[in-house]
Amino acid sequence: MDNKRKNKVERELYKNIGNRLLIERKERHYTQEQMAEMIGVSTGFYGMIERGEKAPSIEKLVKIHEKLGLDITYLLTGNEKSEHILDYIVKCPQEKQYAFEQIVKYAMNLADFEAYNAKE
């Protein structure tokens, strides 16, 4: 996949994650400040997540799950819960979380790329 297409897919993924968080936040009547405090990021960074400019780390996804009970698979894909992904994320040792996060991003990019190609 070329960089231009990869960046487009990545931006779309981040935008979708942010939109799902925005919807959940509004349904719960939370402010961005409250959400940012719950997951341990600045309000500005949380706003960037909702706008799709940044993606939450695996650690922050786990916090979102713990604090709000939101399914991580739903946040990443928009699909209902996969029974095993949370177990893998929670059990992942701290020193390997970055590598695991990169693998998840790569897998998500592949899935989105395949879905994008199927539409063409």
Side-chain angles (χ1 to χ4, degrees):
M1 180 182 333
D2 63 23
N3 265 352
K4 199 174 209 178
R5 183 173 270 187
K6 180 182 175 195
N7 289 338
K8 181 179 179 182
V9 170
E10 191 172 282
R11 281 193 312 272
E12 189 67 27
L13 175 64
Y14 292 178
K15 184 177 176 182
N16 290 336
I17 291 169
N19 191 50
R20 286 188 276 277
L21 279 172
L22 171 68
I23 290 167
E24 289 291 333
R25 177 177 65 79
K26 288 189 173 194
E27 285 179 0
R28 294 163 189 260
H29 306 287
Y30 288 140
T31 64
Q32 283 188 338
E33 291 83 8
Q34 289 170 315
M35 290 289 284
E37 188 175 325
M38 272 189 251
I39 66 171
V41 297
S42 71
T43 303
F45 187 79
Y46 182 79
M48 292 170 73
I49 292 171
E50 277 194 2
R51 290 188 301 275
E53 297 168 7
K54 297 285 183 177
S57 67
I58 288 180
E59 177 187 350
K60 299 309 177 196
L61 289 171
V62 171
K63 279 198 180 222
I64 290 167
H65 171 74
E66 290 172 349
K67 300 286 185 176
L68 302 174
L70 292 179
D71 179 49
I72 294 172
T73 302
Y74 168 72
L75 286 175
L76 292 173
T77 66
N79 296 327
E80 291 302 314
K81 182 178 182 178
S82 169
E83 298 175 28
H84 303 290
I85 193 164
L86 179 60
D87 293 333
Y88 290 116
I89 292 171
V90 170
K91 293 176 184 177
C92 184
Q94 183 75 28
E95 66 275 6
K96 294 184 179 181
Q97 281 188 356
Y98 178 77
F100 188 77
E101 180 179 343
Q102 297 307 308
I103 291 168
V104 170
K105 284 181 181 180
Y106 181 74
M108 295 305 302
N109 285 337
L110 282 177
D112 283 348
F113 179 72
E114 293 300 322
Y116 178 79
N117 282 336
K119 290 179 187 176
E120 290 184 343

